[in-house]
Amino acid sequence: MDMKKLAAALIPDGDLLPVEEYEKIYPERTRAPKAEVTRLAPSPTGFIHLGNLYSALADERCAHTTGGIFYLRIEDTDEKRRVDGAVESVIRSLKYFGIDFDEGAEIDSPLNVYGPYYQRRRAKIYRAFVKDLIERGLAYPCFCGEDELNAVREAQTAEKKTTGYYGEYAKCRNLSEEEIYNNLAAGKPYVIRLKSQGSIENKILFRDAIKGEVTVTENDQDVVILKSDGIPTYHFAHAIDDHFMRTTLVIRGEEWLSSLPVHLELHKVLGFKPPRYAHTSSLMKMDGGTKRKLSKRKDPELSLDYYRKDGYYPVAVVKYLMTLLNSDFEEWSLKNPEADWRSFKFRIEKMSRSGALFDLDKLNDVSKTEISKLSAEGCYEFLKGWVDEFGTDADRAHFADRQYITQILALIMGVGGKKRRKDIERAAQGVRLIDYFFDDTFSPEYAYRFGKDTVNAVLDAFIKVYDPADDNSAWFAKVKAIAPEVGFAAEMSDFKANPENYKGNVSDVAEILRIAVTGMPNSPDLCTIMRILGKDRTLARLEAGKI
Ligand code: GLU
């Protein structure tokens, strides 16, 4: 058969370059010997998840700890799944977590010389190589329809054979020249398949950068490389792209491990040296005592939007993921609490071979700790960023008063105290903690443990002596002073000795004041709260707290 003629009939494009040209157009990158070129290659579906961030973090670390490049490629071969704005959303989401690309789709960079970075815009490159494979007898047209393929699969399943298009089942592999041209003349749709040269008798010893040595069986499947719409499959496109974008290390989910033999064969027939591959294990969670994969359908925490909407401190999410990526990160982080997480020596080889267990409680802990390390001003900036995007109108109005909120945060966080408090876990929760400092969001419950007369007597007594200029000790002396007036013990020791003589003790007096002023039985230091609220607001609350 005249293969050149066949290739021209199947791929009639008149403007394809000879394949050798591409080696010149996309030359090897000049880079330091150990510098890694990595990429994130998402489909533009609009759903960017924790697994993407996990993987992106590994990519970014591998590139940036070796002086290499991390780029963004959009795998948009499936037009049906494309969602507008998805690419911007990937970039924005990752940026929120401090991960930036050096090069790629929608990245403004002088390094963008390996593009286009959208696969659909690379159709000519793929088609040039498919044509070349046909000319070399390594690919062929397949006219089998879906029904035919289904029937073959059913027969294979019934006979307990491996399913797929291979060996004796690869019907179109042996079509005569006449049959092919007749089908083409009849306008039958076709795909192009790889004419596999492999055999399942052969094993390949392969070294995965994470999983270590893996033995896989050689591919013998005549996989589709070009679909009937003229667009390549993932298998083919990624081989071409990772070669010509000069990727050195492909980090991707372990669900691709089973297609690795196909990918190795594709690189071989294309004459490319394959990149190193690193297959990451899936993120798992505990669900009622069993470990299972995080699922898009069941677990809202898989979506990255979840963390932004809930206002997780981004560095905390990243640090937590780092503990999952490299198990010695946690110890390093404890030893170097102030150090930038980027100074940790990340190594792909240290990644876990089995599923990493994602634990939201643990993440919440890390988030609290990270937020507690901020200055009050830093915390204000963080919360304000969340409020601007997700807060209510009332939140936005409150956050206009930077100075007032910064004072509140200093109190809530225990700035200046012996030990920082860890009350703020996430912005969505932290912003609610300050609601009671504003009259429009102050919604007291007044759950007093004493009756009307006692409560009102305590409040009246304190109103009489209250002086906003009092420091903490003068303030407390006054609370103590009013205690006996209203039937409470001023000294704990007196109360303990004869509890029957008193309604309660000085801390019960403080509790009544606290409930009136904050609406809650527990709060940070009440004297400071009164000072922040100011005289008028404090007095108004003491009055309003009467029952
Ligand atoms: N587009 C593929 C995915 O989203 C990329 C896999 C890879 O990184 O090679 O799963």
Side-chain angles (χ1 to χ4, degrees):
M1 203 181 314
D2 180 345
M3 301 311 268
K4 267 205 170 328
K5 185 177 146 213
L6 177 63
L10 294 168
I11 311 282
D13 321 29
D15 55 351
L16 299 182
L17 296 177
V19 289
E20 311 78 58
E21 285 299 306
Y22 289 104
E23 291 292 336
K24 294 181 213 148
I25 298 174
Y26 301 115
E28 285 279 3
R29 293 171 185 262
T30 35
R31 58 182 178 96
K34 289 220 158 77
E36 299 282 13
V37 179
T38 61
R39 85 298 193 273
L40 189 71
S43 299
T45 59
F47 182 70
I48 162 117
H49 56 79
L50 201 65
N52 297 128
L53 177 60
Y54 178 72
S55 186
L57 199 52
D59 281 314
E60 191 271 348
R61 284 294 80 203
C62 283
H64 293 159
T65 53
T66 58
I69 296 283
F70 174 42
Y71 72 88
L72 175 64
R73 178 170 79 226
I74 301 301
E75 306 216 319
D76 56 354
T77 53
D78 188 353
E79 179 67 4
K80 287 194 291 296
R81 296 177 64 212
R82 197 181 66 83
V83 168
D84 284 343
V87 179
E88 289 71 17
S89 152
V90 170
I91 297 171
R92 190 167 18 91
S93 298
L94 293 182
K95 193 170 200 56
Y96 178 76
F97 293 103
I99 298 182
D100 290 313
F101 296 98
D102 305 303
E103 170 187 324
E106 308 306 325
I107 305 297
D108 184 15
S109 162
L111 296 170
N112 281 355
V113 293
Y114 288 87
Y117 295 93
Y118 285 84
Q119 288 186 326
R120 289 187 87 81
R121 299 183 196 163
R122 301 172 64 79
K124 291 288 168 202
I125 313 176
Y126 307 129
R127 291 172 69 78
F129 278 89
V130 172
K131 191 170 181 183
D132 180 64
L133 288 180
I134 301 169
E135 286 176 1
R136 293 195 282 129
L138 292 167
Y140 64 91
C142 167
F143 298 91
C144 290
E146 212 166 309
D147 293 346
E148 240 166 311
L149 294 175
N150 285 341
V152 172
R153 190 175 314 113
E154 273 166 33
Q156 288 167 333
T157 313
E159 288 173 42
K160 299 204 170 18
K161 294 255 174 68
T162 306
T163 56
Y165 208 83
Y166 61 95
E168 58 190 293
Y169 300 105
K171 216 184 86 190
C172 293
R173 194 181 238 250
N174 302 315
L175 291 183
S176 68
E177 190 165 3
E178 197 186 345
E179 285 170 307
I180 294 177
Y181 284 105
N182 282 347
N183 281 338
L184 290 179
K188 264 195 159 191
Y190 60 89
V191 299
I192 305 292
R193 288 185 183 272
L194 168 74
K195 191 179 243 174
S196 173
Q197 308 297 303
S199 154
I200 54 162
E201 302 299 323
N202 301 334
K203 301 279 176 215
I204 310 170
L205 184 66
F206 162 79
R207 204 175 164 79
D208 187 278
I210 295 172
K211 307 232 177 249
E213 278 188 359
V214 194
T215 306
V216 292
T217 303
E218 215 172 67
N219 173 58
D220 70 342
Q221 298 265 349
D222 287 358
V223 292
V224 176
I225 54 175
L226 202 66
K227 296 183 278 186
S228 55
D229 58 2
I231 296 292
T233 53
Y234 164 77
H235 306 304
F236 194 71
H238 106 277
I240 298 276
D241 294 346
D242 282 323
H243 179 70
F244 286 116
M245 294 181 179
R246 306 298 175 178
T247 313
T248 60
L249 177 61
V250 169
I251 303 174
R252 61 181 182 186
E254 65 187 351
E255 66 276 17
W256 294 110
L257 194 54
S258 58
S259 343
L260 185 73
V262 174
H263 301 159
L264 294 178
E265 181 169 13
L266 282 171
H267 278 92
K268 193 166 164 192
V269 296
L270 289 164
F272 302 158
K273 178 174 179 279
R276 279 158 68 229
Y277 284 94
H279 290 94
T280 58
S281 47
S282 307
L283 288 177
M284 315 287 280
K285 77 179 266 184
M286 288 310 285
D287 184 3
T290 50
K291 211 169 158 185
R292 66 160 173 80
K293 268 192 202 175
L294 276 172
S295 123
K296 185 172 164 179
R297 202 166 40 83
K298 294 189 207 150
D299 306 312
E301 71 268 32
L302 187 60
S303 158
L304 279 193
D305 276 349
Y306 174 90
Y307 301 93
R308 286 189 46 231
K309 283 191 188 136
D310 243 20
Y312 276 87
Y313 190 57
V315 172
V317 177
V318 167
K319 280 191 157 185
Y320 177 60
L321 287 179
M322 286 295 289
T323 64
L324 298 183
L325 283 166
N326 271 187
S327 57
D328 54 343
F329 178 81
E330 194 167 3
E331 199 188 322
W332 175 88
S333 189
L334 286 172
K335 278 198 199 130
N336 304 279
E338 301 308 324
D340 185 325
W341 61 273
R342 289 182 172 87
S343 52
F344 169 76
K345 286 199 174 39
F346 175 82
R347 295 256 319 279
I348 191 86
E349 293 78 10
K350 288 193 287 183
M351 275 182 72
S352 133
R353 293 181 186 194
S354 55
L357 193 61
F358 181 78
D359 179 347
L360 205 51
D361 292 338
K362 194 119 195 256
L363 168 60
N364 291 342
D365 261 2
V366 179
S367 192
K368 270 186 204 169
T369 304
E370 289 304 314
I371 292 174
S372 76
K373 292 182 194 165
L374 295 174
S375 64
E377 291 74 17
C379 189
Y380 169 84
E381 290 301 337
F382 164 60
L383 296 180
K384 168 116 178 17
W386 180 87
V387 160
D388 286 346
E389 202 171 351
F390 301 104
T392 60
D393 288 345
D395 292 335
R396 270 186 286 278
H398 298 167
F399 271 75
D401 195 344
R402 181 193 196 99
Q403 209 204 342
Y404 187 57
I405 296 207
T406 310
Q407 284 181 62
I408 300 171
L409 292 174
L411 167 70
I412 292 187
M413 298 169 77
V415 174
K418 275 201 213 81
K419 210 167 165 232
R420 285 290 179 92
R421 296 171 66 104
K422 295 188 180 179
D423 293 0
I424 307 178
E425 185 177 279
R426 292 162 287 117
Q429 163 264 354
V431 166
R432 297 284 71 82
L433 290 183
I434 63 176
D435 272 345
Y436 69 87
F437 283 90
F438 297 89
D439 289 340
D440 60 340
T441 47
F442 176 52
S443 53
E445 289 194 10
Y446 295 139
Y448 296 114
R449 289 186 294 113
F450 296 88
K452 181 179 161 75
D453 292 348
T454 305
V455 167
N456 294 353
V458 167
L459 294 176
D460 274 332
F462 187 77
I463 289 168
K464 271 195 219 122
V465 296
Y466 168 62
D467 181 349
D470 286 341
D471 63 10
N472 281 34
S473 58
W475 179 90
F476 190 58
K478 284 185 177 169
V479 177
K480 261 177 141 175
I482 62 167
E485 289 174 30
V486 288
F488 289 75
E491 299 297 337
M492 265 328 248
S493 50
D494 294 343
F495 178 69
K496 280 198 180 131
N498 297 300
E500 64 287 353
N501 292 353
Y502 306 97
K503 288 184 185 165
N505 60 61
V506 65
S507 74
D508 299 315
V509 175
E511 183 188 285
I512 292 173
L513 297 174
R514 188 183 306 280
I515 292 176
V517 172
T518 69
M520 304 172 302
N522 295 303
S523 75
D525 180 61
L526 184 57
C527 171
T528 313
I529 291 176
M530 289 186 180
R531 198 173 305 130
I532 295 172
L533 285 170
K535 181 179 170 203
D536 295 345
R537 202 157 13 198
T538 301
L539 282 174
R541 290 193 181 186
L542 291 168
E543 283 295 347
K546 291 184 198 163
I547 43 178

